């Protein structure tokens, strides 16, 4: 009972966008376990459960030191009964039975391997699993119909499941900039996603493209893609017009210029960077790398950068905070104030945080 009277060891704000989450933290043994349970829940299409475990892990990432005893977590938000039980078990016994049995399970391993194929989501992987598919190689000589993305995903499976390094991301940045300048001088590219948050490796490379003169960016994506393709730099690409109008979390009435947002999911053929000649001979001389390109009108650029920098949980909480606390609606295009019934303009991320009444969190501290 004396314990209960002590002040809490740590204080952590409720929403991920209200706190700093650096890349490196002190509780990886706990967060990896909780994130595995989150992943497994996602494989079971239980999003609520998956987000709950992700949130619990995220809270532990913000703590200034490693947790030793479960009592230290008293008063922290987002730590449900289940997460606490798992954490307690790991603190006491070094591992959690539930986590270890999940990790070893045939279903988890198969779902992990199958969703690791570019173009394969949880629904498809689950259907294949129920039909007896366990590994990507099972698909090679099966009757399963694969779309073009999945065929490319299977073909480049090994490369696409090898982390992209920052050096590789930068090399791709040089190429994308070349392409963009060739078709529209003065256009600007920005590295977003995990690399903008300071990650040293990632599963893909994300770029945002814009031009300071509003309207110049129109029709840019097909030209960029065509330039890259002509140079033989693309192994796969699919350009989609902005799906914003159909998206479920957009505001009621987006401005009419929204449908200009375009996105290209691609696989780059990246010539090997630093391999010495003997090393090159052992394997092929290029690597398949997933690259996402997004074109944004200049007026929406700040929202687009904020929306594409992540992390996914940080984005989710930004939108949730905007809605629940400020009665506003935020997405990668705009901020709508439901009370004033108007869109709020912003030309920088700092301004958007300020409009939301939030302390500015730099990209390197958005690793929630
Ligand atoms: P990674 O690539 O696994 O190392 O980690 P991230 O954080 O780069 O994750 P990624 O590439 O899946 O996505 C980058 C960010 O872009 C993510 O935090 C949220 C945002 N994002 C991803 N897909 C979409 C989308 O379809 N629409 C919007 N608005 N944002 C997206
Ligand atoms: Mg990424």
């Amino acid at each position: 009972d004396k314990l209960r009277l002590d002040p809490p060891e740590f204080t952590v704000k409720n929403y991920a966008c209200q706190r700093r989450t650096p890349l490196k933290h002190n509780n990886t043994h706990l967060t990896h376990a909780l994130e595995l349970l989150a992943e497994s829940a996602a494989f079971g299409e239980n999003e609520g459960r998956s987000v709950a475990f992700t949130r619990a892990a995220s809270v532990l990432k913000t703590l200034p030191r490693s947790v030793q005893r479960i009592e230290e977590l008293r008063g922290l938000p987002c730590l449900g009964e289940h997460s606490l039980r798992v954490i307690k078990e790991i603190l006491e016994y070094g591992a959690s039975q539930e986590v270890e049995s999940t990790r070893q399970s045939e279903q988890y391993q198969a779902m992990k391997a199958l969703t690791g194929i570019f173009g394969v989501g949880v629904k498809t992987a689950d259907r294949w699993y129920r039909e007896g598919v366990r590994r990507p190689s099972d698909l090679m000589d099966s009757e399963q119909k694969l779309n073009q993305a999945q065929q490319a995903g299977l073909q480049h499976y090994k490369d696409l499941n090898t982390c992209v390094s920052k050096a590789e991301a930068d090399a791709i940045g040089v190429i994308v900039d070349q392409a963009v300048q060739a078709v529209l001088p003065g256009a600007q590219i920005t590295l977003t996603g995990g690399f903008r948050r300071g990650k040293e490796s990632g599963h893909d490379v994300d770029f945002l493209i814009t031009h300071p003169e509003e309207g110049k960016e129109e029709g840019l994506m097909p030209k960029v893609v065509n330039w890259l393709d002509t140079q033989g730099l693309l192994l796969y690409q699919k350009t989609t017009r902005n799906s914003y109008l159909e998206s479920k979390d957009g505001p009621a009435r987006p401005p009419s210029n929204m449908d200009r947002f375009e996105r290209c999911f691609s696989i780059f053929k990246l010539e090997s960077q630093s391999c010495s000649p003997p090393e090159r001979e052992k394997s092929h001389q290029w690597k398949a790398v997933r690259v996402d390109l997004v074109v944004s009108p200049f007026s929406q650029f700040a929202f687009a950068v904020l929306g594409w920098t992540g992390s996914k949980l940080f984005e989710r909480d930004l939108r949730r905070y905007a809605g629940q606390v400020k009665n506003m609606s935020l997405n990668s295009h705009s901020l709508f104030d439901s009370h004033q019934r108007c869109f709020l303009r912003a030309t920088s991320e700092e301004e958007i945080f300020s409009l939301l009444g939030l302390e500015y969190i730099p990209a390197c501290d958005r690793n929630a």
Side-chain angles (χ1 to χ4, degrees), residues 20-28 31-32 60-65 197-201 364-368:
R20 290 171 188 265
T21 315
L23 201 55
K24 295 210 168 69
H25 62 87
N26 314 292
N27 288 291
T28 47
T31 58
H32 287 162
L60 300 182
K61 291 179 189 176
T62 69
L63 302 182
R65 57 185 167 74
R197 302 196 307 275
K199 282 176 69 173
E200 274 143 39
S201 69
C364 64
D365 284 328
R366 296 181 205 158
N367 288 290

Side-chain angles (χ1 to χ4, degrees), residues 192-195 197 199 202-206 292:
T192 59
F195 288 110
R197 302 196 307 275
K199 282 176 69 173
H203 99 282
D204 68 358
V205 195
D206 308 287
D292 273 0

Side-chain angles (χ1 to χ4, degrees), residues 298-299 301-303 306 318 326 328 330 335 343-361 366:
F298 200 62
S299 61
F301 183 68
F303 295 100
L306 181 59
L318 263 177
K326 306 300 283 187
M328 292 180 186
L330 173 74
L335 179 62
F343 286 96
L344 305 177
R345 312 226 152 260
T347 57
S348 67
E349 289 182 310
E350 284 86 344
E351 237 179 291
I352 302 170
F353 279 87
S354 158
L355 288 168
L356 289 167
L358 287 168
E359 182 196 338
Y360 180 68
I361 308 288
R366 296 181 205 158

